[in-house]
Amino acid sequence: MAEPALSIRGLTKVYGNGFHALKGIDLDVQQGDFFALLGPNGAGKSTTLGVVCSLVQKTAGKVSVFGIDIDKDFARAKNNLGVVPQEFNFNQFEKVEDIILAQAGYYGMSHREAKPRAAELLKDLGLWDKRDGSARALSGGMKRRLMIARALIHRPKLLILDEPTAGVDIELRRSMWDYMRRINREEGTTIILTTHYLEEAESLCRNIAIINHGEIVKNTSVRELLGQLNTETFLLDLAEQVSEVPTLDDFQIEKVDSSQLAVSVKRGQRLNDLFSQLSDLGLTVVSMRNRANRLEEMFVSMVEESNAEAAK
Amino acid sequence: MNAMQIAVALWTLVGKEVRRFTRIWPQTLLPPSITMTMYFIIFGNLIGSRIGPMDGYDYMDFIVPGLIMMAVITNSYSNVASSFFSNKFQRSIEEMMVSPMPNWVILAGFILGGMARGLGVGIIVTGVSLFFTRIDVAHPLLTIGVVVLTAALFATGGFINALLGKKFDDISIVPTFVLTPLTYLGGVFYSISLLPDFWQGVSMLNPILYMVNVFRYGFLGVSDIPVGWALAAICAFITVLFAIALWMLERGKGIRG
Ligand SMILES: Nc1ncnc2c1ncn2[C@@H]1O[C@H](COP(=O)(O)OP(=O)(O)OP(=O)(O)O)[C@@H](O)[C@H]1O
Ligand SMILES: [Mg+2]
């Protein structure tokens, strides 16, 4: 099998103030994968990605990018990496296009090669009209797209995106998803992203890892993870007002408010049974939706489990 | 990276540095030009005519090399200090850190940028001085050599300052409390032969004295100190500071969590 795009072994990070941000992480991301690194705030996602792209000094462990050990030849490893960090990190006073062209220069790309590539990316990411303005004048979502264009200028084989869609509106988010899918599929770019929108991970990614308190608590495929989902919670809006919670055979039910019920449906149970029982009680369901995105439900239960484990 | 790619990266960084200080020229090029013009008018012209000759030279001719040197020193230093610090502050230094560009190229890029500003201001000040006096240069090569080396030395110092600095104030401390006094006491305005023996001895500990003196020697052909040794000392200082700055960069001091 081909070398993994990213391979991490025993990665440990202790920050200067003595804080153990990473406690020996192992992680593999295969070439061509679309991978999500998930976890609550402060879990260690940015720290992990920071080590990979040289923004954070690791304390111990091994990291290789396409089989290149970063301790042996970081420069060659970096050539394969494109990075979109969580925080804006460009000079706000520079022109949009200049920021991208300078980045190309740092990779050793000649101006002649960089100029058309920059134009292509600026157009793809909807920044072409803004290219001559200073970066300060961009909106938050545009700044994030600027960082994506900058990260792709040297055609990296591995793209690392730390919360790429934070602060991006819904329509734009969809178009960014399409763009990321396209470069993953057509150009074979391996993509690793972190996000707090589980819907995003579910719709984009094939594999995920969940990290909490500096440890990997789960590393699996999205499909398998969703397969483990035993219970789904649905919210039902009723035409009538109910004063007390109706009792149903086999279904766990809660009242959210006088006209909304939350019903837990276990795997194997049929929604038909639920509805027929409700209509027997004279209740009319007008609309229904999942309480949470399915992956989100899974995620919450896993993080809670790992927090409980840590509290022991 | 191969040699060609390294050249591209270095050129990109130097170009960016030069564009930065030329874009904000009212903050970078104009003030030193005005200050130095004031020095020429007040000390050189008005007061200088009453002072009489210094070390056998017209007072104006005596202070011109010192003032040029002073402009070169402060501008090389503060260009790198403020540019690198603001890169750190805005985190745009990360653009360089994630790239395969070696640390020595990053360091060299900022130093060359600082030298460009220092020497640029030096040329402007020289131009201004031509309104007040005629400049004859006794040893042109030496003059250029020493001013270039001095610019490199202080640009490197500015880099270290910016790496260590945690807030904007930290990058003005050294120029205000160290560089300015040392330059004023480094024989810009007087020959140390005017001082009592004790203070002459103390002055000899001031590295800037040597640079100013060698530079003045380049112009006038006279110096209080051995020129060859002074040049060697400047080169040694540059090597040591460059090595320290590079070591700090490799360790990620002040830039990497
Ligand atoms: N420079 C630093 N010094 C000390 N502690 C730090 C530093 N940077 C991060 N940390 C700590 O390390 C832990 C992990 O931080 P990290 O930024 O990796 O989290 P994250 O998973 O990316 O969170 P978020 O979802 O909020 O971005 C946090 O507890 C954070 O406070
Ligand atoms: Mg983060």
Side-chain angles (χ1 to χ4, degrees), chain A residues 146-194:
Chain A
L146 165 59
M147 296 204 295
I148 296 180
R150 186 185 61 182
L152 289 170
I153 186 73
H154 61 295
R155 299 192 167 82
K157 291 199 287 177
L158 172 59
L159 178 62
I160 291 180
L161 303 154
D162 200 350
E163 301 193 22
T165 54
V168 172
D169 71 43
I170 298 169
E171 193 189 334
L172 219 73
R173 179 175 304 164
R174 305 259 163 193
S175 84
M176 276 167 70
W177 288 1
D178 288 339
Y179 185 71
M180 290 187 246
R181 277 199 198 98
R182 198 183 93 201
I183 59 173
N184 175 250
R185 201 179 312 122
E186 291 172 16
E187 292 169 38
T189 310
T190 309
I191 300 181
I192 302 177
L193 66 76
T194 75

Side-chain angles (χ1 to χ4, degrees), chain A residues 216-233:
Chain A
I216 302 274
V217 292
K218 193 84 194 176
N219 184 354
T220 181
S221 73
V222 172
R223 190 177 304 161
E224 190 167 318
L225 193 63
L226 291 178
Q228 291 174 12
L229 191 64
N230 283 318
T231 329
E232 269 189 88
T233 310

Side-chain angles (χ1 to χ4, degrees), chain A residues 54-55 78 89 92 150, chain B residues 16 90 94-95 97 256-257:
Chain A
S54 133
L55 300 177
K78 285 175 184 175
N89 69 344
Q92 306 265 343
R150 186 185 61 182
Chain B
K16 197 167 125 164
Q90 300 212 39
E94 294 180 0
E95 295 178 332
M97 289 160 68
R256 201 174 287 147

Side-chain angles (χ1 to χ4, degrees), chain A residues 13 53-55 57 75 78-79 89-92 94 99 103 105-109 150, chain B residues 1 5 8-9 12-13 16 90-92 94-101 251 256-257:
Chain A
K13 173 63 188 177
C53 51
S54 133
L55 300 177
Q57 187 89 44
K78 285 175 184 175
N79 260 324
N89 69 344
F90 44 80
N91 184 337
Q92 306 265 343
E94 261 176 82
I99 290 173
Q103 190 68 50
Y106 300 154
Y107 283 96
M109 266 173 104
R150 186 185 61 182
Chain B
M1 290 178 107
Q5 289 168 320
V8 169
T12 304
L13 184 50
K16 197 167 125 164
Q90 300 212 39
R91 309 178 74 140
S92 49
E94 294 180 0
E95 295 178 332
M96 294 164 221
M97 289 160 68
V98 301
S99 83
M101 178 162 49
R251 296 284 307 269
R256 201 174 287 147

Side-chain angles (χ1 to χ4, degrees), chain A residues 9 11 51-52 57-65 68-75 77:
Chain A
R9 288 292 172 272
L11 183 62
V51 169
V52 175
Q57 187 89 44
K58 65 183 162 62
T59 306
K62 273 178 82 75
V63 175
S64 18
V65 178
I68 306 159
D69 186 336
I70 63 166
D71 291 325
K72 300 217 173 91
D73 195 352
F74 214 161

